[in-house]
Structures are given as C-alpha cells and as structure tokens.
Amino acid sequence: MITPLACSLVGQQQSVALVPGTRAARLYGVTSALEPYYCNYGVNPDYLQRLQDGGLTVSGIGEQGEIRIVELRDHPFFVATLFLPQARSTAASPHPLLQGYAAAVTTAR
C-alpha cells in the first residue's frame, strides 16, 4: 500500500488542498496549506478504494491529486500525513494538527 514516489519530496514544500468536512479541514480552518516534506514514499493509488472501504478518508490532496492526509472519521484522533506537522510547529505557533491531537488527548476518556 506504500510505494516509492516518482521523485523525492525531501526538502520540498508543497501545497495541500484540504477536503471540506474532514477533521483536517476543520483543524486548519483554511482550504489549503503549505507543508514541508521529508519523504520518498507515498500511498499507492492502486489501493485507494480498499483503504476507503476499510474506513480511511482522504482529507488532504497534493498538487497533482496525490494522497497527503488520511483520517478515520470515527476515531477520537487518527490523522496520518505524508508530511511532518512538527517540522513547522513552534511553541508560539503550534501546527493545527498537533493542536487538534493535544485537544483530543486531553478530552479522551
């Protein structure tokens, strides 16, 4: 389900379009974001339907339609990204996904 990318994203910044109605879109509060990447692998699009059938929702899409964020809607907080939210997070300006995770952890039973 994971495949090498056609070209490395290491050291690049790319725009991610956030899918309306998803947790990621609600946390960001915008329609797109610029994110830093440090990876050479991504989701194999041949498995997209199987992943969706298993409950994953694509909530962030790259500039060429690539999967960049997935989440489980019914989970207290399951959000997976191809980028590293912590790479642009600071104490003064925490990343929206990390803020959402912290909020989910502090309200979990």
Side-chain angles (χ1 to χ4, degrees), residues 79-103:
V79 176
T81 67
L82 194 60
F83 55 87
L84 299 172
Q86 63 272 27
R88 73 169 182 94
S89 190
T90 65
S93 180
H95 192 282
L97 295 180
L98 298 180
Q99 284 182 302
Y101 176 70

Side-chain angles (χ1 to χ4, degrees), residues 3-73:
T3 188
L5 297 173
C7 67
S8 174
L9 293 178
V10 174
Q12 293 187 40
Q13 287 192 24
Q14 290 190 1
S15 181
V16 177
L18 301 157
V19 177
T22 61
R23 176 174 295 176
R26 283 190 305 276
L27 290 171
Y28 274 92
V30 295
T31 59
S32 67
L34 190 63
E35 293 292 353
Y37 290 84
Y38 301 93
C39 61
N40 293 312
Y41 294 89
V43 177
N44 184 335
D46 295 340
Y47 290 93
L48 177 58
Q49 190 59 55
R50 290 175 73 184
L51 292 168
Q52 290 173 323
D53 291 346
L56 279 180
T57 298
V58 174
S59 54
I61 302 167
E63 297 167 351
Q64 305 288 316
E66 318 91 333
I67 299 167
R68 296 295 190 234
I69 307 172
V70 295
E71 58 188 64
L72 288 173
R73 286 191 186 270

